[in-house]
Amino acid sequence: TSPFAWLRTRFYYLLIRLYFDQEFSIEEFTRGAKQAFSVVSKLLSQRKLDLLEELVSAEVLQVLKEKISLLPDSHRDALAADIDAIMYTTEGDVRIYYDDDGRKFVSILMCFWYLNGANLPDEVPGETKVFQIVFGDENTKEKKHLLTANYEFQREFTEGAKPDWTITRIEHPRLLE
């Protein structure tokens, strides 16, 4: 990320701590986001969408129901991210905003890069094959793909609102389109 973007996100984290949640920690948030990403991506790959109702917004869940039913098995398998296979995580955009009713929201976009061994066709655009890991000898190779995903987490900070983060956007480029 650019130094300007890094500085901007740190400024937003300061505002979150000052005006919304004095206990907010980006490190703790990132740990929780990685866990949520791993759980949600596995449930998506298993088509267990009914278990996502408490984690994902109703609008996103409706779109996912339509998209998941059309995916080939290889693409569905590639959605699953084991927490130990997450290679890199970074924050994207951070937004603080108010709606027309005066409710306060914070939204944080998280970007994940993860390894997955799904049997994807070589012509899948947008993903990068990075590793061929050799176990034992040259005849035993396991192909891994480095895939990306973007999940946006939103929390309402209006007095009396539930203190839960909800996923309001899920993108698995070239897999879930």
Side-chain angles (χ1 to χ4, degrees):
T1 58
S2 73
F4 175 74
W6 183 86
L7 190 59
R8 184 176 154 266
T9 58
R10 296 308 178 257
F11 176 70
Y12 275 112
Y13 298 148
L14 176 64
L15 290 177
I16 293 168
R17 277 194 300 279
L18 289 174
Y19 295 106
F20 299 105
D21 181 1
Q22 295 175 357
E23 304 296 318
F24 180 80
S25 157
I26 190 55
E27 293 81 13
E28 184 178 324
F29 175 84
T30 300
R31 274 192 299 278
K34 285 172 73 171
Q35 290 175 340
F37 165 61
S38 179
V39 167
V40 169
S41 67
K42 287 177 185 176
L43 290 173
L44 283 174
S45 75
Q46 298 166 0
R47 292 185 179 160
K48 294 182 178 178
L49 302 180
D50 54 323
L51 299 177
L52 296 176
E53 289 181 12
E54 295 295 316
L55 303 170
V56 177
S57 71
E59 298 84 10
V60 171
L61 192 55
Q62 185 59 41
V63 171
L64 288 172
K65 286 179 179 178
E66 295 168 11
K67 290 183 176 183
I68 291 293
S69 66
L70 302 173
L71 282 183
D73 289 344
S74 61
H75 282 69
R76 223 175 8 94
D77 293 343
L79 295 176
D82 187 59
I83 197 158
D84 295 331
I86 299 172
M87 304 307 294
Y88 184 70
T89 304
T90 187
E91 313 93 43
D93 193 29
V94 178
R95 296 182 299 137
I96 297 173
Y97 59 95
Y98 297 81
D99 70 4
D100 293 337
D101 298 326
R103 298 183 310 165
K104 303 180 273 188
F105 294 91
V106 171
S107 175
I108 302 174
L109 178 67
M110 296 297 293
C111 306
F112 303 96
W113 285 262
Y114 64 101
L115 287 176
N116 183 287
N119 188 20
L120 292 172
D122 289 336
E123 67 273 3
V124 174
E127 62 91 15
T128 309
K129 289 177 286 186
V130 215
F131 299 110
Q132 280 197 348
I133 303 170
V134 178
F135 294 102
D137 59 26
E138 282 293 320
N139 297 327
T140 312
K141 289 186 181 181
E142 182 182 352
K143 186 160 79 171
K144 295 278 187 175
H145 300 272
L146 182 63
L147 302 168
T148 61
N150 302 310
Y151 281 46
E152 183 178 62
F153 295 84
Q154 180 186 74
R155 179 175 167 195
E156 182 177 352
F157 281 93
T158 308
E159 180 129 357
K162 289 177 24 179
D164 298 332
W165 290 91
T166 303
I167 299 170
T168 55
R169 181 169 66 177
I170 294 178
E171 298 173 342
H172 284 263
R174 307 294 183 220
L175 294 175
L176 191 62
E177 291 187 341

